[in-house]
Amino acid sequence: MKQPETPKEAVPEDAVKGIHNGPPGPLLRLVKDQRVAFVLVGGANTAFSTGLFIAIAWLNPGMPSPVVLSIAFVVSLVAVFFVYRKLVFRVKGHFWLDLGRFTLVNLTMFFTNMALLLVAHEVLGYPQIPSQIAITCVTVIINYFGHKHFSFRRSPESVSPKQATEESTT
């Protein structure tokens, strides 16, 4: 194993930019592109969340829709947080900070989606479903950058040269 010659070599380039990813996990070894992995996980989470909503609604027919939606949202938010953290962004430490930031990004996108859909459909008169599809495409892109550069961000100071070297060789 080659030892880094200078301290700069010891820290991955992403860490210098304020982002530190661990070694690629099984998903990133398979698809090679973090953006594609993000979309795959997000799509699977959307299917999971929708299925969960349906299951909760069927099991509790008298439960108000906002309660059903809230339960499905919270459960899927926590589940996808762990999957993004381990399979897409590959970070360690700062669990509660990451979860808080992750929730903030998701809530921001949820309310942004709601506002854009209201404007597109109710104010401008665009059809509801195509509007939602277009808004989803935009919010997925914003969501990716929000999670990459905010939710799972690591400062260069939080990654020691020794830790960066060890993680990049495992």
Side-chain angles (χ1 to χ4, degrees):
M1 176 169 66
K2 178 187 172 227
Q3 292 295 325
E5 294 175 15
T6 66
K8 184 172 176 142
E9 286 181 358
V11 180
E13 187 176 325
D14 280 350
V16 175
K17 296 177 188 171
I19 307 157
H20 175 69
N21 297 329
L27 183 60
L28 288 177
R29 284 193 293 265
L30 183 66
V31 297
K32 306 279 189 244
D33 189 326
Q34 189 179 56
R35 297 165 296 193
V36 173
F38 181 83
V39 170
L40 289 173
V41 168
N45 182 61
T46 299
F48 170 73
S49 181
T50 302
L52 187 58
F53 177 89
I54 292 167
I56 293 168
W58 277 347
L59 292 172
N60 303 288
M63 188 176 284
S65 294
V67 175
V68 175
L69 182 62
S70 296
I71 293 169
F73 177 78
V74 169
V75 170
S76 84
L77 179 86
V78 171
V80 79
F81 168 75
F82 284 105
V83 177
Y84 276 143
R85 185 175 164 84
K86 294 295 180 189
L87 297 182
V88 177
F89 296 105
R90 303 291 298 161
V91 296
K92 294 180 181 179
H94 305 292
F95 176 83
W96 292 109
L97 179 63
D98 289 351
L99 181 59
R101 288 176 170 180
F102 185 82
T103 302
L104 184 62
V105 168
N106 278 289
L107 285 173
T108 301
M109 288 300 95
F110 177 76
F111 290 121
T112 299
N113 187 333
M114 193 180 297
L116 290 174
L117 185 59
L118 178 72
V119 169
H121 181 64
E122 305 297 330
V123 176
L124 300 176
Y126 292 127
Q128 189 176 37
I129 294 171
S131 295
Q132 179 57 36
I133 291 169
I135 292 165
T136 298
C137 291
V138 171
T139 57
V140 163
I141 294 166
I142 295 168
N143 220 5
Y144 171 74
F145 287 106
H147 291 316
K148 181 174 178 81
H149 297 289
F150 181 67
S151 301
F152 299 111
R153 179 188 68 198
R154 296 294 185 263
S155 65
E157 300 83 39
S158 70
V159 181
S160 70
K162 181 181 178 194
Q163 178 186 6
T165 303
E166 288 171 359
E167 288 183 357
S168 66
T169 60
T170 57

